[in-house]
Amino acid sequence: MTSSPTPTATTTPTAPAPPTAPAPPAPGATAPPGRHDLVVNVTGLRCRECGRTEDLGASHVCGWCFGPLEVAYDEEVVAARVSRDRIASGPSTLWRYGDLLPVLRDEPDDRIDLGAGFTPLRPAPRLAAHLGLRELWLKDDTRNPSGSFKDRVVTVALSAARALGIDTIACASTGNLANAVAAHAAAAGMPAYVFIPHDLERGKVVGSAVYGANVVAVDGTYDDVNRLCAEVADRRGWGFVNVNLRAFYAEGSKTIGFEIAEQLGWQLPDHVVGPLASGAMFTKIHRAFGDLQRHGLLDTAELPRMSGAQATGCSPIAEAFERGSLDVRPQRPDTIARSLAIGDPADGYYALQVAEQTGGAIGHVADAEVVAGIRLLARTEGLFAETAGGVTVANLVRFVEQGVVGRDERVVAVVSGNGYKTVEALDGTAGPTHRTTPSLTDFLGMLHD
Amino acid sequence: MPTVRVPTPLRKLTDGRPEVTVDGADLREVVTNLEAAHPGFGERLLDQDGRLRRFVNVFVRDEDVRFQAGLDTAIDEDDTVSIVPAVAGGAA
């Protein structure tokens, strides 16, 4: 995996010196390269809505109010250990931020780490020029082990699952998560059940089955799959990474935010544009910036504006945003952007709050624009994104035209998955451009035609 | 009589049973009868305005009632009503 921890483009600020406060003793300093010792930094689970706490376990629902459970950190432990130095001395994966992630057992070797995260933050001057933007960066999560940002959430969730003694892992997926769960479970030697809509792109089906996972194709939409999995999780005791392990899983998405900040020299961008499916990744990037700020790791005070991208054929969060409401009305998805086709987004309510609080927006684009977005990104920056990336770029185009994204802002666009997973989306629009015989004469003649 | 599937957080109201049966011609009646048979269901499922709570999803015949008639969704004798806590976990 290629990483660019500190971009070298002229627009990149010089990385400032580490904080002057003395760092606590860091056992990691004497650990072998790639090791990053951790301590148990989680006290339990806490309800996002009513604040009640529960013991650590595979549980996602508050027993009192049904609100979502989140990881409750031991803030003193986190604050005493986290520093820029410890991050810099960590591995070139998202586990360099281990002090800010839920760690249930103090044994780095127990982590299930295929190398997810610490993906390049690439300057995108040609796309910026096309859009009329001063400064644009691409968070290139196509580079993850199974080709999408879902490897981030899975490495965190599976490591927690193993610490909790769970032996069978599962997920409800639109495809990318299934790929990530199957890959990590294979490497960990854990049996896996991945539940997917029956009509997913072939690359995503093969990209799960090849790892030996049980691939359960469900006759229904992702929302049907999700509901089934919620009921199965309640009966079987399996660890569903995005159901009963969701408190841990969602924390993995924070690392996109951590990396953006570190890769910009502990500065933040002015505006982040990212795709919205459940809305969890979007909200966690925002939370990550707040975590860094709270722990004094940033050189900037302002948090970025956050804008979200959906496809028109599945735009329940954008529709609520247009109404000025936090009440997300579920939709029946019909879009080529299958990885974003969640009609009843789990975290839509929170994503709306983030967009509103930060002065961002949530937009949607038609499928034809999604394809155009994929092609634009590929042609200008040499980056082949899956449909979700097309959604993000196409919405960015709109946001610039509408003035939602300012032309003088420092903008980061999150490209969450690899285009080779969804080649069907380009059927009829990307193929051979010339045809010739093996004859040199014929080829040269064809060029002159 | 319709069957109601009860999620773990609510099974303390049903003596641990994952499924119970109650009468009701529509979902509203089912919830009312659930409350009568197993006190506590009403306040856990409905907010102060009598609407389904934000984090409670209900499925009748495997279909989200928000795509049907909500609490007015008709229930047949052999239908299954699934109460499923919403899956969420992001944070503002």
Side-chain angles (χ1 to χ4, degrees), chain B residues 13-45:
Chain B
L13 304 177
T14 60
D15 297 326
R17 279 181 290 164
E19 291 185 355
V20 297
T21 54
V22 292
D23 265 329
D26 60 24
L27 181 58
R28 196 182 308 278
E29 280 188 23
V30 166
V31 173
T32 301
N33 293 336
L34 262 177
E35 169 64 24
H38 309 281
F41 263 97
E43 70 167 347
R44 305 297 300 280
L45 300 183

Side-chain angles (χ1 to χ4, degrees), chain A residues 107-192:
Chain A
E107 182 45 71
D109 287 341
D110 278 359
R111 295 199 302 262
I112 300 168
D113 184 4
L114 299 190
F118 212 43
T119 59
L121 183 70
R122 302 169 46 175
R126 280 171 43 80
L127 181 55
H130 180 88
L131 298 175
L133 286 173
R134 177 175 66 86
E135 186 179 341
L136 174 64
W137 298 85
L138 302 172
K139 186 57 177 159
D140 182 6
D141 257 22
T142 69
R143 305 290 192 94
N144 279 304
S146 74
S148 85
F149 91 101
K150 291 294 188 185
D151 289 313
R152 296 176 181 274
V153 289
V154 169
T155 183
V156 175
L158 258 65
S159 297
R162 188 143 77 175
L164 291 169
I166 291 168
D167 55 11
T168 299
I169 210 75
C171 69
S173 177
T174 57
N176 284 322
L177 181 59
N179 297 169
V181 165
H184 283 79
M190 300 170 84

Side-chain angles (χ1 to χ4, degrees), chain A residues 13-183:
Chain A
T14 304
T20 52
T30 56
R35 288 283 300 269
H36 190 49
D37 287 14
L38 303 163
V39 294
V40 175
N41 59 4
V42 174
T43 59
L45 300 172
R46 182 185 297 122
C47 177
R48 167 88 179 90
E49 292 297 311
C50 74
R52 282 178 171 77
T53 56
E54 300 201 2
D55 292 339
L56 276 179
S59 176
H60 67 294
V61 178
C62 173
W64 178 257
C65 77
F66 279 16
L69 295 176
E70 296 187 322
V71 169
Y73 287 96
D74 185 330
E75 288 291 340
E76 284 187 18
V77 167
V78 174
R81 292 182 68 89
V82 69
S83 70
R84 291 181 185 175
D85 277 351
R86 271 180 59 81
I87 291 169
S89 67
S92 295
T93 77
L94 62 78
W95 286 103
R96 66 199 285 105
Y97 309 102
D99 290 329
L100 295 167
L101 295 171
V103 174
L104 308 190
R105 199 157 62 191
D106 195 7
E107 182 45 71
D109 287 341
D110 278 359
R111 295 199 302 262
I112 300 168
D113 184 4
L114 299 190
F118 212 43
T119 59
L121 183 70
R122 302 169 46 175
R126 280 171 43 80
L127 181 55
H130 180 88
L131 298 175
L133 286 173
R134 177 175 66 86
E135 186 179 341
L136 174 64
W137 298 85
L138 302 172
K139 186 57 177 159
D140 182 6
D141 257 22
T142 69
R143 305 290 192 94
N144 279 304
S146 74
S148 85
F149 91 101
K150 291 294 188 185
D151 289 313
R152 296 176 181 274
V153 289
V154 169
T155 183
V156 175
L158 258 65
S159 297
R162 188 143 77 175
L164 291 169
I166 291 168
D167 55 11
T168 299
I169 210 75
C171 69
S173 177
T174 57
N176 284 322
L177 181 59
N179 297 169
V181 165

Side-chain angles (χ1 to χ4, degrees), chain A residues 330-372:
Chain A
Q331 296 180 356
R332 295 180 197 280
D334 181 15
T335 170
I336 59 169
R338 301 301 306 275
S339 59
L340 304 182
I342 298 180
D344 184 16
D347 293 275
Y349 170 73
Y350 297 123
L352 284 161
Q353 288 183 334
V354 167
E356 184 182 277
Q357 288 168 5
T358 64
I362 297 174
H364 61 90
V365 293
D367 282 357
E369 292 172 81
V370 176
V371 173

